[in-house]
Amino acid sequence: MASSFLNCRVSCIPFIYLGLPVNANPRRTSTWEPLLESLRKRLGVWGNKYVSLGGRIVLLNFILNAIPIFYLSYMKILVQVWKSIRQIQRDFLWGGTKRGKTISWIKWDVVCLPKSRGGLGVRDVRVINISLLAKWRWRLLTNDNVVWKEVIRSKYGDLAVGKVVLGDECKPWFASLWWKDICSLGMNLSHNWFA
């Protein structure tokens, strides 16, 4: 009755809102599959007939790395998903979209180095993910009165806002996965954060 009154459809959880799955578990690869499929579809449209190596680097940096930004700004990337995205990027860089095995002429770590240090300047997706999630921590430290901070404060307590280090006292058992990821950012920004 409510859906007919509001002229909207009835759906179930999880659902997509503004491109992100709502109430989906970011620890499952199935949550990330639409993103991976979107990357693969985009490559299928481009083809490889007339795209040079320089053109593929530009497409990697400005198109392929831009597609997952919305996901990466809210969810911690899984290692399997990061490896899949890296494989998609690597295959496109060295062979375009043609099928079959391609030769990687340079290690991916070198490809991701800045051009000033001898790399190709391709941005690493997991570094982008850390920086986008760190922006939430930075916003918690600023002194503005926005609604989402009030929600965080009412759910996790006054200690959750305005602190540089968010310890276990800010991470109750009922905390969301997003909040746990935000809290764990400051503790270990090393490689094991992605394990």
Side-chain angles (χ1 to χ4, degrees):
M1 191 169 90
S3 70
S4 63
F5 177 76
L6 295 172
N7 195 20
C8 65
R9 60 188 164 161
V10 177
S11 189
C12 60
I13 294 178
F15 59 90
I16 301 294
Y17 180 70
L18 297 177
L20 277 176
V22 174
N23 205 26
N25 188 349
R27 302 288 193 267
R28 292 194 176 136
T29 54
S30 60
T31 303
W32 295 85
E33 195 54 45
L35 170 69
L36 294 173
E37 194 55 39
S38 173
L39 290 172
R40 289 184 195 109
K41 252 197 273 187
R42 180 63 58 126
L43 290 178
V45 171
W46 288 337
N48 186 35
K49 248 182 176 174
Y50 305 108
V51 182
S52 66
L53 178 63
R56 288 195 298 265
I57 292 170
V58 169
L59 288 173
L60 264 176
N61 271 335
F62 296 106
I63 307 294
L64 279 185
N65 275 347
I67 291 172
I69 290 291
F70 203 46
Y71 268 77
L72 298 176
S73 62
Y74 291 100
M75 296 186 278
K76 182 177 100 169
I77 194 168
L78 297 173
V79 173
Q80 307 93 296
V81 175
W82 170 65
K83 288 180 180 178
S84 296
I85 292 174
R86 192 174 62 174
Q87 186 65 46
I88 290 169
Q89 291 175 326
R90 183 185 297 135
D91 290 346
F92 179 70
L93 179 65
W94 298 120
T97 59
K98 67 181 181 183
R99 301 291 178 234
K101 197 144 175 91
T102 59
I103 298 173
S104 298
W105 295 102
I106 304 171
K107 287 193 321 181
W108 192 252
D109 293 337
V110 176
V111 170
C112 291
L113 286 175
K115 292 178 183 176
S116 62
R117 293 185 46 208
L120 296 177
V122 174
R123 292 173 290 174
D124 189 357
V125 175
R126 70 180 173 170
V127 174
I128 294 170
N129 185 224
I130 291 173
S131 63
L132 289 172
L133 289 177
K135 282 177 72 174
W136 289 107
R137 287 288 295 274
W138 176 253
R139 289 176 185 149
L140 284 171
L141 293 173
T142 59
N143 288 329
D144 53 352
N145 294 325
V146 290
V147 176
W148 73 271
K149 278 190 193 176
E150 294 305 317
V151 171
I152 295 291
R153 184 177 280 124
S154 66
K155 186 169 183 179
Y156 302 116
D158 289 332
L159 295 175
V161 178
K163 279 184 69 181
V164 174
V165 177
L166 298 173
D168 288 335
E169 68 275 359
C170 298
K171 224 175 0 176
W173 63 269
F174 57 84
S176 67
L177 290 174
W178 176 81
W179 182 249
K180 288 178 184 177
D181 290 342
I182 297 296
C183 289
S184 68
L185 254 183
M187 293 179 198
N188 49 355
L189 285 177
S190 62
H191 181 71
N192 61 3
W193 189 74
F194 292 96

